[in-house]
Each structure stands twice: as structure tokens, then as C-alpha cells.
Amino acid sequence: MLSQESLALIDRELAKYPADQRRSAIMGALRIAQTEKRYLTNELIEFVASYVRIPPVAAYEVATFYNMYDRKPVGKYKLTVCTNLPCALSGGYTTADYLKQKLGIGFGETTADGRFTLAEGECMGACGYAPVMLVNNHSMCNHMTPDAIDKKLAELE
Amino acid sequence: MTVYAKGVVFEGVDFDNPNHWRLEEYVKRGGYAALKKILNEKITQDEIIAEMKTSALRGRGGAGFPTGLKWSFMPRNFPGQKYLVCNTDEGEPGTFKDLDIIVSNPHALIEGMIIGGYAMGITVGYNYIHGEVFEAYERFEEALEEARAAGFLGDNILGTDFCFQLHAHHGYGAYICGEETALLESLEGKKGQPRFKPPFPASYGLYGKPTTINNTETFASVPYIIREGGQKFLELGKPNNGGTKLFSVSGHVNRPGNYEIPLGTPFSELLEMCGGMRGGKKLKAVIPGGSSAPVLPADIMMQCTMDYDSIAKAGSMLGSGAVIVMDETVCMVSALERLSYFYHEESCGQCTPCREGTGWLYRIVHRIAHGEGRPEDLDLLASIGDNIAGRTICALGDAAVFPVRGMLKHFRSEFEYMIEHKTRQFAALS
């Protein structure tokens, strides 16, 4: 269900923890699975659980607790915009509104062509670079003014 | 972003050099000298902990607990495995200092953790890194590889019989995991829900074993203390508030960024370093220690010095050192609405007063902010706050209440105005 590359990465996570504490690797394993498949289906969560050798429910409760795991289909690019206070003081809502208007979707929605999903995020711990946006959970974009968004979206076409 | 480095964590870091974070550069500026000194001179565990106590280093994550004292709680002769954990789960709105540490000076943290491991007889450590900063996590992993290859980490460090393994653990989006016992649960691969204390982590921590948890900046300050002595570190700050501290300044200043300055520096000087207020506007208020700290109005803040004791005396807390600056145009109802939404969103749901109460707080502030407030709402907010604070397992409940109390104490008239006139005095956040 996952590529050899992903399984090798999960093995690397497993090696970080004591042999009798494999469960510790579930967060990393789910992240790796999601990076390959874009979102987590119940079947994928069960597969990852069996690979880590923990009960499916233990993996499922992790996948539902942490908010960067996607359990519904998302677009090719998931854009998460921080609107928390420090970002909002530096134009976070302007950024969010500009993206909504430009993509024609609201938070939690995906464009019809399946290219972009827009999400509202909480503090990403990068307030000095406000407003900030995260692409596909892993790539941080700083100072996302409307001009910077135009540039970024062109890169992601 | 500006990094103004006049302190111990970023000492000598040349930010213009793209390799400034690498081991080779770190060693050039005196890195790993503290570790070598300990191993070569066979400095004892007691001597290291005594030095830490002299330094008056207080935990940089928010609680400000004396680090040397915390280290002394660790059972020295425990027969089984013990763990050392670093809390880089930096999610307190306004805080972004630990991000810069693992990106720009990861080896200071690594060296600090190795020394901590030595001082407490611990052989395994984990650094738990905030979910949203994946690129920083990858950077830290690379720094770990460098340290292993150079013989600073792993078995028989620098040819001695001292061993210390260190790994990075990546979070995936949960503010609550910055709470140390929630972090431990998460590290065990579970939902990040805080544990009852006691037992404290020093007796029952990761996998049920004795564990010490410190913040990133705390660990990154250790090499300096060992190299230069606790007394010198203490003298950089003021009594009971030793050393320099990183302040993450965000909001309406000309140059947001991290400023590493001596504890006890007047706030007015910090504001000047940041280039003053953006657009020449007037300062209205400051949240001095991350979003959980009560807001302080400009006139009180301008009298404060940036240290634990001064900010506490003014009725707030230094917390993680996140300074959120707001100018005269900010609508405080709107600001509180956003913060209350955050705590409601991030409550882990374990304790009823927090799970339900944060929702109540948000919904009431929301309706005031939308012109639907009722005359009794301010008393209701205070009463809900009293029923959350101190009645939950962890401090998230308190953290949700402090901003409400601070706003109602200092900016009550803005809330009253909105309830009465159904319209705000200042524009909403944009």
C-alpha cells in the first residue's frame, strides 16, 4: 500500500524508539503515509497501524487528534493560512481573503479542478515572518502579502 | 526577519554566512568546548548542577522554573533507563524563538542536551519539534547527523565511556503538546492529553521512567554557562533573572523578529531596537509573554523592564518572551475574539471546564464583537473564567482565561461600548 521509500522512512522512525515502544513511531509513520498518498483513508491508517504493530484504533485516535492529518481528499496543494493574532496584526485576514477571492473557495474547500485546498491554520510559530502560509503541511512561506501570493500560486500551477 | 543577537544563544552567529548553522562553524565560534571541558577535566555532575544553580537560569519555555533546581530533582541512582526531553513544540501565539534556534544554531541545543544528559546520568534524549515547522525539523535531523559523525553524540563520546543518544520527534499540529505531560503522551504515540501531576515527570515521565524536560532556549543556554561560568551568565541579567533572553517581537513594529537581550532591559529600549511603532502610530497595548499572558496597556508597559519579576509585578507574565505589540487602531474585542477562538479550538477536550468553558468564552466574545452582546455578558465572562481557571488538569484552561481577564481589566470600556452601541470603536482585524 506504500512505496518502498516510504516504508524505509517509517523504519527510520521506528529505530528512534526502544524496541518495545514501537507505538512512538505512529505519528511519523502517518505523516509519511500522508505525504505519499496526500490524505489518510481508514484503510491506509489500518495498514500503517499493522506495519507499526499497534491496534488500528490507536493509530486512528492519533490521526483524528492532530490537526495536520487530512482524512478527507485534499487538492494537489493544500494552503494553510495563519489568522491568529500576531499574523492578523500584519495582514493575515487580508491574505486569507485574497486567497479566497482568487481561488473562489472558502476555508475547508477545494477548487473544482482539484488543484488547491484552502485551510485556516493556528499559530505556526513563525510570527516574525507574518503573514505566514503553509503549503502541503511542510513548506513554510513567509510574508505572504497579495503580491507574494500571486508569485507563489504561479509557481504552484 | 530581524535577529538581533546580543546574547548567549546566538553569540557569534554570522547570519549572513549560509553555513552558519553547521557544526564546523559552531566549533569555530567555541562550540562543543564546554562538552570537551567537562569530559577532559572530569567535572562532576554535582559541579555542573551547582553551576546551573549559580547562573539563575530560569526555564525559557514559559513557567520560568529554575533549571538547576529542576536538574537536581532527577533521581541520580535510578537503576533503569532515564530520559531527557527538549520541548521545541513552540505553538504559543507570538513565540518563534525556538524555531530560529534549531534553524540557526542547532548545535548549541544539541551540546546543551548532551551536557544535561551527562549531569543527570541520562543516556537517551528526544527533541519534540512543533508540527508546522517541518523544514526546521529536517535541519535539526541534519545537525544531529553532523554531531554523530563528529563523535559528539552516540556511544563513547570523544573516546570516554559516556554515551548519549539523541533523536528528533516531529509533532503534527496540536498546541496542547507544548504542555510537558501532553508532550510525553504524544512522544509515546498517543493523543496529546495532559497527565495528572503528581507524579511529576522527574519520577514518572516518558514510558513511565524518570524524565527531565526543558525548553529549547534553556538547553541552548547551557554551553555558555559551563564555558564561561554561572556567575558570568547571572551578571548578564539581574538577580533572580540570570542571563540574556530571546524576545520574539511581533505585531505593529517596524522590525518584527527575535531580539536576544539582557533580562532587565527596559521595554522602551526593546521597542526602539524594533524600529519603533509601524507607521509612526501610537502604542496601545502589549501582550508581553505570549497569547496566554494578560495584556498590559501602553503606560504600564513603558514602565516595565523585560524580566520575570518586573512583568509579574505589573500583573502579567514574561512567559515564553513573546511580545505582541498593538497600536492605537486595534479593536481589543476583535483581538480577544481571535485569541478565544484559538483556545477553544486547541482545548484537548479532556476536562469539562476547559472543553465547554472555552467554547462559552469564545461564543460570548464573538457575539459582543458582532454587535449582539448583552449587558450581563461581561459578568458572565468573568464568572465562566472563575469556573475554568484552576479547575483543570493542565494550564490551558488558565491560559484561555488570562487574556479575557486582562482585556476586561484594562479595556473594559471598549467591550461596554460595543454592547451598548452595537458597533465597534475601532476597525476589526484585517
Side-chain angles (χ1 to χ4, degrees), chain A residues 34-39 70 72-79 105 109-118 134-137 153 155-157:
Chain A
Q34 176 169 296
T35 303
E36 183 183 326
K37 301 288 187 188
R38 215 185 286 174
Y39 72 102
D70 293 309
K72 283 187 205 143
V74 290
K76 186 173 175 199
Y77 300 108
K78 178 183 158 195
L79 310 178
I105 52 173
E109 293 175 358
T110 300
T111 52
D113 62 2
R115 193 168 276 278
F116 294 105
T117 296
L118 194 57
L134 211 51
V135 179
N136 288 344
N137 296 323
L153 290 183
E155 276 172 36
L156 299 177
E157 282 304 324

Side-chain angles (χ1 to χ4, degrees), chain A residues 13 16-17 21 24 27 31 62 65-69 83-84 89-90 93-94 122 125 127-129 138 140, chain B residues 1 94 96 99 126 135 137 141 167-170 172-173 186-187 189-190 192 207 252 278 338 342 430:
Chain A
E13 291 297 312
K16 294 177 178 177
Y17 309 98
Q21 300 292 347
S24 281
M27 288 186 71
R31 161 175 51 83
V62 166
F65 185 84
Y66 298 90
N67 60 31
M68 288 167 67
Y69 295 115
T83 58
N84 208 308
L89 294 173
S90 293
Y93 282 111
T94 306
E122 284 304 344
C127 324
Y129 304 101
H138 291 171
M140 178 88 75
Chain B
M1 189 173 73
F96 48 92
L99 170 64
Y126 292 97
E135 290 145 318
Y137 162 78
E141 285 272 32
H167 303 285
H169 182 100
H170 186 232
Y172 226 54
S186 182
L187 200 42
K190 301 169 188 163
Y207 309 129
H252 291 147
R278 201 195 297 161
R338 187 59 187 84
F342 170 72
S430 62

Side-chain angles (χ1 to χ4, degrees), chain B residues 288-364:
Chain B
S291 63
S292 312
V295 66
L296 292 174
D299 56 335
I300 295 180
M301 199 61 210
M302 290 304 272
Q303 304 303 316
C304 285
T305 57
M306 300 306 291
D307 57 81
Y308 298 93
D309 297 339
S310 171
I311 301 288
K313 213 175 138 201
S316 187
M317 54 190 190
L318 193 71
S320 55
V323 182
I324 306 173
V325 177
M326 293 180 275
D327 72 20
E328 55 190 330
T329 66
V330 174
C331 169
M332 297 315 239
V333 183
S334 184
L336 182 62
E337 182 194 8
R338 187 59 187 84
L339 291 180
S340 293
Y341 175 79
F342 170 72
Y343 290 104
H344 175 48
E345 176 72 22
E346 296 294 336
S347 171
C348 81
Q350 189 173 215
C351 310
T352 308
C354 174
R355 180 186 65 238
E356 303 301 322
T358 53
W360 276 88
L361 291 177
Y362 168 63
R363 285 189 297 272
I364 293 168

Side-chain angles (χ1 to χ4, degrees), chain B residues 51-310:
Chain B
E51 208 62 56
M52 294 300 294
K53 285 183 175 167
T54 304
S55 74
L57 172 64
R58 292 170 63 171
R60 300 302 199 222
F65 192 82
T67 306
L69 190 60
K70 190 186 249 188
W71 286 16
S72 72
F73 292 157
M74 204 57 171
R76 208 72 66 78
N77 299 315
F78 182 80
Q81 185 68 54
K82 295 183 282 190
Y83 293 100
L84 188 64
V85 174
C86 176
N87 185 345
T88 310
D89 191 20
E90 183 178 50
E92 173 85 0
T95 317
F96 48 92
K97 64 190 179 69
D98 300 336
L99 170 64
D100 267 355
I101 294 173
I102 57 172
V103 168
S104 295
N105 205 12
H107 287 287
L109 165 59
I110 295 170
E111 187 183 6
M113 288 192 76
I114 300 169
I115 293 169
Y118 179 92
M120 290 176 275
I122 302 172
T123 56
V124 180
Y126 292 97
N127 182 19
Y128 189 109
I129 298 172
H130 191 49
E132 282 82 349
V133 294
F134 184 73
E135 290 145 318
Y137 162 78
E138 288 188 309
R139 163 75 53 95
F140 188 73
E141 285 272 32
E142 214 178 322
L144 285 177
E145 282 303 326
E146 286 186 326
R148 286 179 194 124
F152 293 121
L153 261 185
D155 292 333
N156 303 106
I157 293 172
L158 300 176
T160 66
D161 57 3
F162 169 54
C163 307
F164 186 73
Q165 314 288 341
L166 180 56
H167 303 285
H169 182 100
H170 186 232
Y172 226 54
Y175 169 69
I176 188 64
C177 291
E179 198 280 340
E180 60 179 13
T181 60
L183 185 149
L184 293 176
E185 288 286 299
S186 182
L187 200 42
E188 292 180 3
K190 301 169 188 163
K191 292 186 285 186
Q193 291 188 320
R195 300 173 180 171
F196 274 112
K197 289 192 270 191
F200 291 94
S203 52
Y204 190 92
L206 182 62
Y207 309 129
K209 306 294 185 198
T211 301
T212 292
I213 308 166
N214 285 125
N215 166 261
T216 316
E217 187 186 352
T218 310
F219 279 124
S221 304
V222 172
Y224 179 94
I225 294 169
I226 299 304
R227 211 172 57 235
E228 307 289 335
Q231 188 61 32
K232 190 168 168 190
F233 181 86
L234 171 64
E235 286 164 8
L236 291 173
K238 63 184 236 189
N240 197 35
N241 296 265
T244 54
K245 162 102 190 77
L246 273 159
F247 291 98
S248 303
V249 186
S250 64
H252 291 147
V253 293
N254 277 314
R255 288 193 297 273
N258 280 317
Y259 292 80
E260 190 174 28
I261 55 174
L263 281 168
T265 303
F267 170 73
S268 55
E269 277 181 33
L270 176 59
L271 189 57
E272 257 173 60
M273 287 175 208
C274 302
M277 298 297 293
R278 201 195 297 161
K281 294 213 169 64
K282 247 178 76 185
L283 177 69
K284 177 174 186 172
V286 176
I287 300 176
S291 63
S292 312
V295 66
L296 292 174
D299 56 335
I300 295 180
M301 199 61 210
M302 290 304 272
Q303 304 303 316
C304 285
T305 57
M306 300 306 291
D307 57 81
Y308 298 93
D309 297 339
S310 171

